[in-house]
Amino acid sequence: MRLLGSALSASRKLKSSLGSASARTSVNDFHISASEPETQFHEIKDKESGKTRRLAYQKLSGPRTHGLIYIPGFMAHKGGGKAVALHSFCQKYGFPYLRYDPSGLGESEGVSLTDTKFSLWLEDAKEMLLKVTDSPQIVICSSMGCWLTSYLVQMHPEKVAGILMLAPAVNFHVRYEKVLRSQLPPKLLKKYEEGGTVPLFAPDYGEFPLSKGVFDEMKKFALNMEHNTVPVSVPVRIIHGVKDKDVDYTESLPLLNTLGTEDVQLTYLKHAGHTLTDEESLEVIYDAILRLASEVGKKARL
């Protein structure tokens, strides 16, 4: 576990050295792609209703063996700060990269925001990983995306080469439902209890609709945090901001015990909040990816 205060200058030096080493082993020169990939759609047919939903995504090509897939957090999509920043990073460093809009969000079609739910987001992530990416991926997951990834790596370990968790929000439904209940006046609370949709307001993200059914379904996916609950054999890196107001940074500690691999590193950023989109946090994220890619590449060559 590391606590990083002012890490910017050190991370820049590290990025320079990692970049040189990575260039020698993976590509002759870093791949610079100036073109913006077009938005494409992946169709998923719902087994129960028979309806089809279309997930919007952007896929970037690159010469590296292991690509990156970004699994967004709660109510987040491919247009979020980290997803966009990683696009530029991957263009510069030659990583194939996939980012997408989960059901009900962004440009995705076929499901409204009021009807989407955790199980759909899990299926979305699985479909993107299995059917839209190519080689085993380094999964970059944010907030709730880390919860989804904990299931993905169990369902399809062959498709996951490494994991970078950013401000993990595993089992966050308990806290969010308490916050929602505390915000609702009596009439809306009654509507919520009867299964209606009500608004949750988050200061940093605005307002979005939620229902009791969404939280009830999340309970079915609650992750058991006991020792080695998540069998994972790939390296896992975790970055969490100490000033995170949405998910307390201490909630990342239990993951060290829950993840089945010994190859887990937890880094705390003293200055950072939940989004990790400030320049210094992004520098640390980039360095973590380059390190992870180097380690994964060495293992693949053994």
Side-chain angles (χ1 to χ4, degrees):
M1 181 173 66
R2 295 185 295 164
L3 178 63
L4 299 186
S6 181
L8 187 54
S9 61
S11 79
R12 282 173 173 165
K13 292 177 182 177
L14 175 61
K15 182 161 51 172
S16 177
S17 63
L18 285 171
S20 299
S22 183
R24 289 195 296 271
T25 57
S26 300
V27 288
N28 292 326
D29 295 296
F30 287 134
H31 175 72
I32 307 294
S33 173
S35 60
E36 185 78 10
E38 63 176 340
T39 298
Q40 302 180 66
F41 290 88
H42 174 71
E43 294 189 351
I44 304 176
K45 188 173 183 179
D46 187 85
K47 295 178 182 179
E48 295 182 4
S49 67
K51 294 181 179 180
T52 298
R53 62 185 193 274
R54 303 174 74 231
L55 302 185
Y57 70 91
Q58 289 186 344
K59 188 176 181 181
L60 184 68
S61 62
R64 291 186 184 250
T65 302
H66 294 97
L68 308 183
I69 178 173
Y70 182 74
I71 311 294
F74 185 61
M75 296 295 178
H77 49 75
K78 62 178 169 56
K82 289 188 294 295
V84 173
L86 284 171
H87 179 94
S88 299
F89 167 81
C90 289
Q91 281 183 313
K92 181 177 180 181
Y93 287 97
F95 286 100
Y97 177 54
L98 176 68
R99 54 181 171 140
Y100 67 95
D101 292 333
S103 294
L105 296 160
E107 298 177 279
S108 290
E109 304 169 351
V111 176
S112 68
L113 184 58
T114 55
D115 292 329
T116 194
K117 52 189 178 179
F118 189 92
S119 59
L120 293 185
W121 290 328
L122 180 57
E123 186 178 18
D124 295 345
K126 184 180 73 171
E127 285 277 322
M128 290 289 109
L129 179 65
L130 294 183
K131 299 183 180 179
V132 186
T133 68
D134 301 313
S135 61
Q137 299 289 293
I138 295 174
V139 180
I140 316 297
C141 45
S142 174
S143 194
M144 187 193 72
C146 303
W147 188 1
L148 298 174
T149 300
S150 297
Y151 277 97
L152 284 182
V153 71
Q154 296 180 68
M155 293 187 293
H156 298 284
E158 76 284 355
K159 283 289 292 183
V160 180
I163 301 172
L164 174 59
M165 294 184 168
L166 307 174
V170 175
N171 299 344
F172 75 93
H173 59 292
V174 177
R175 179 178 58 258
Y176 259 55
E177 187 172 27
K178 287 181 180 178
V179 171
L180 178 61
R181 286 177 177 274
S182 69
Q183 290 183 358
L184 296 177
K187 286 186 178 180
L188 283 182
L189 183 59
K190 184 175 184 294
K191 180 181 179 181
Y192 173 79
E193 294 291 0
E194 293 173 348
T197 300
V198 296
L200 171 67
F201 178 77
D204 294 334
Y205 307 100
E207 189 175 277
F208 40 82
L210 286 173
S211 67
K212 191 172 185 295
V214 170
F215 289 113
D216 286 344
E217 194 205 37
M218 283 184 179
K219 294 174 184 176
K220 301 175 185 177
F221 291 92
L223 198 65
N224 184 334
M225 301 301 287
E226 294 180 1
H227 185 62
N228 290 349
T229 299
V230 180
V232 52
S233 59
V234 299
V236 180
R237 305 293 176 257
I238 305 170
I239 299 174
H240 208 144
V242 173
K243 295 181 180 178
D244 191 331
K245 296 179 181 178
D246 297 286
V247 183
D248 193 276
Y249 70 96
T250 59
E251 293 189 22
S252 281
L253 281 170
L255 284 171
L256 300 180
N257 179 62
T258 302
L259 297 167
T261 178
E262 291 294 310
D263 191 1
V264 184
Q265 296 176 14
L266 169 58
T267 298
Y268 282 137
L269 304 185
K270 187 175 181 180
H271 75 282
H274 187 66
T275 62
L276 298 171
T277 52
D278 61 280
E279 181 182 355
E280 186 171 346
S281 296
L282 289 174
E283 291 280 358
V284 175
I285 290 171
Y286 299 154
D287 290 341
I289 293 172
L290 290 171
R291 281 183 177 274
L292 196 52
S294 178
E295 294 170 27
V296 166
K298 287 177 182 177
K299 289 183 178 181
R301 291 191 293 273
L302 292 178

